[in-house]
């Protein structure tokens, strides 16, 4: 009888302690890379995508990394163009958020969050693409291949 009471009391204490633990969000980190697709790799972005889901107000994907334009030593001469990196967040086939970073002959840090601003839905994939644009009114523009990253 004492054994049953002791076991029941132990189970009750364990249940209370488990219930008192703070709720933590599930997190998954994925490395990303995208470039401008040209021979000199003039524009490149790299970093991490961190999916934050669970008992949070709004599920997000945290983006941390950098965008570089002409920032590495290269045998190619400088051109009069700049790079942009676009991060597009999707839920299914619906675009729910997008952010763009810009660099011109420099390496810039990037840090922001992607989330659905009108709903509490999670992002299931992020598409990253680096494009280059002319700094002059007349010129060319081009984009590298889009890189797609699915939620883990």
């Amino acid at each position: 009888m004492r054994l049953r009471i002791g076991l029941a009391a132990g189970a009750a204490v364990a249940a209370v302690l488990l219930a008192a633990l703070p709720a933590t969000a599930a997190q998954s980190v994925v490395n990303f890379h995208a470039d401008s697709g040209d021979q000199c790799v003039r524009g490149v972005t790299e970093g991490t995508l961190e999916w934050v889901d669970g008992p949070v107000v709004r599920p997000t994907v945290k983006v941390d990394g950098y965008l570089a334009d002409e920032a590495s030593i290269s045998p190619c001469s400088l051109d009069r163009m700049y790079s942009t990196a676009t991060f597009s967040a999707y839920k299914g086939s619906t675009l729910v958020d997008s952010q763009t970073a810009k660099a011109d002959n420099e390496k810039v840090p990037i840090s922001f969050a992607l989330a659905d601003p009108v709903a509490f839905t999670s992002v299931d994939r992020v598409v990253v693409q680096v494009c280059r644009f002319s700094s002059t009114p007349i010129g060319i523009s081009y984009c590298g291949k889009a890189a797609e990253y699915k939620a883990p």
Side-chain angles (χ1 to χ4, degrees), residues 72-140:
S72 63
I73 297 173
S74 171
C76 300
S77 62
L78 291 177
D79 60 6
R80 293 172 46 166
M81 298 181 79
Y82 63 91
S83 295
T84 63
T86 303
F87 297 80
S88 303
Y90 292 88
K91 175 65 176 181
S93 61
T94 304
L95 176 67
V96 296
D97 197 6
S98 182
Q99 295 275 343
T100 300
K102 178 183 173 183
D104 191 4
N105 297 336
E106 61 187 334
K107 182 177 180 179
V108 296
I110 53 175
S111 183
F112 51 83
L114 299 167
D116 187 341
V118 295
F120 295 100
T121 59
S122 59
V123 172
D124 57 18
R125 66 188 171 103
V126 174
V127 176
V128 183
Q129 188 170 34
V130 174
C131 296
R132 304 210 61 244
F133 298 94
S134 176
S135 297
T136 62
I138 300 172
I140 63 166

Side-chain angles (χ1 to χ4, degrees), residues 41-68:
V41 190
R42 294 180 185 271
V44 64
T45 186
E46 292 182 323
T48 58
L49 303 171
E50 181 179 5
W51 269 263
V52 182
D53 266 337
V56 294
V57 174
R58 188 169 307 282
T60 62
V61 177
K62 294 180 183 177
V63 178
D64 285 301
Y66 69 87
L67 170 62

Side-chain angles (χ1 to χ4, degrees), residues 2-13:
R2 282 188 179 180
L3 181 58
R4 262 192 241 168
I5 293 173
L7 289 174
V13 168

